Amino acid sequence: MCESQKKLPTNPLVHITIGTHVNQENRLQSIVVHERSFIGDLQLDSDPDDLALLIAVGEMLGVKQPLSACRISCLGSLAILWLDHNRWLILRSPGQQATLSELLVQIWGKDLTLLENEGQLSARLNTAALSYLLNSGNTQDFRQNSDLYRAQSRDCLQHNPIQILSVETADDYEILVRKSCADTLLKWLNVN
């Protein structure tokens, strides 16, 4: 196939910014997600799931904290962007009065152990909860070899705690994600 006949990627990368608005009582009022345009086409002939590539593209675009999400889990009032095997960026639905810790316990109950160290929240899920989460229709993978990645995630999560980041603890997060991941996030925001 000649260069002019190459197809565009069916699930391209998009650069999104996620931020929040809080009220006077410091309660989450809204989550703001907007797509930032790339400057021109990035004609890259490389593995689109290469983390080093995504970080390099993020740095080129001036992203202050280049992150990428490999999967998304939408669980009622929570959306979890998986930044890697055991690092989650969690969004609470706007207007939700319960704390992030309370919502996590509501979802997983005894299947979850929360740990807090110097203001950093982390969690451990038991094997049954991990299996459900990784195989549930609530979780969508965006890697080319999602079966292998799911197995690696399960192994990593069984041996390491999940580091939890929250949009409410930072000004903004800039993330490079697959378009389908951004679309899933927007659907979750519209439902909640």
Side-chain angles (χ1 to χ4, degrees):
M1 182 182 293
C2 70
E3 288 295 318
S4 63
Q5 293 176 325
K6 281 188 178 179
K7 293 182 181 178
L8 292 173
T10 56
N11 196 7
L13 287 175
V14 295
H15 178 188
I16 61 173
T17 300
I18 302 173
T20 58
H21 290 293
V22 294
N23 65 13
Q24 294 160 337
E25 291 87 36
N26 209 26
R27 290 201 174 140
L28 180 66
Q29 292 300 299
S30 64
I31 296 173
V32 179
V33 177
H34 72 275
E35 183 178 342
R36 297 183 56 181
S37 298
F38 285 117
I39 301 170
D41 279 340
L42 299 175
Q43 298 293 331
L44 299 174
D45 186 15
S46 182
D47 178 6
D49 296 321
D50 181 347
L51 184 58
L53 170 70
L54 293 179
I55 290 171
V57 169
E59 288 174 352
M60 182 182 77
L61 295 171
V63 176
K64 61 185 172 189
Q65 183 183 10
L67 300 172
S68 65
C70 54
R71 66 170 58 104
I72 186 171
S73 299
C74 295
L75 303 167
S77 59
L78 293 180
I80 301 169
L81 290 168
W82 297 59
L83 304 178
D84 56 33
H85 294 303
N86 64 333
R87 194 164 56 126
W88 291 353
L89 175 61
I90 300 183
L91 309 172
R92 289 187 306 146
S93 59
Q96 181 58 249
Q97 300 301 313
T99 66
L100 186 57
S101 297
E102 291 169 340
L103 291 172
L104 290 167
V105 170
Q106 283 176 15
I107 291 171
W108 280 294
K110 295 180 206 173
D111 295 330
L112 171 83
T113 304
L114 287 175
L115 313 160
E116 191 165 346
N117 185 17
E118 297 178 9
Q120 177 63 49
L121 187 62
S122 61
R124 285 190 180 272
L125 292 172
N126 68 18
T127 305
L130 283 176
S131 183
Y132 169 77
L133 183 61
L134 291 170
N135 297 310
S136 164
N138 297 325
T139 299
Q140 293 180 23
D141 284 302
F142 303 103
R143 297 278 175 169
Q144 289 179 347
N145 190 346
S146 59
D147 291 337
L148 173 63
Y149 196 76
R150 196 174 299 122
Q152 290 170 341
S153 291
R154 183 176 292 110
D155 185 54
C156 186
L157 288 166
Q158 286 175 338
H159 297 97
N160 300 294
I162 301 159
Q163 298 173 350
I164 296 176
L165 306 174
S166 171
V167 170
E168 298 154 61
T169 61
D171 295 333
D172 289 330
Y173 281 97
E174 295 191 45
I175 306 180
L176 298 168
V177 295
R178 294 279 170 216
K179 176 124 178 63
S180 55
C181 181
D183 291 345
T184 300
L185 178 59
L186 290 174
K187 284 179 196 169
W188 174 80
L189 282 168
N190 287 333
V191 169
N192 288 296

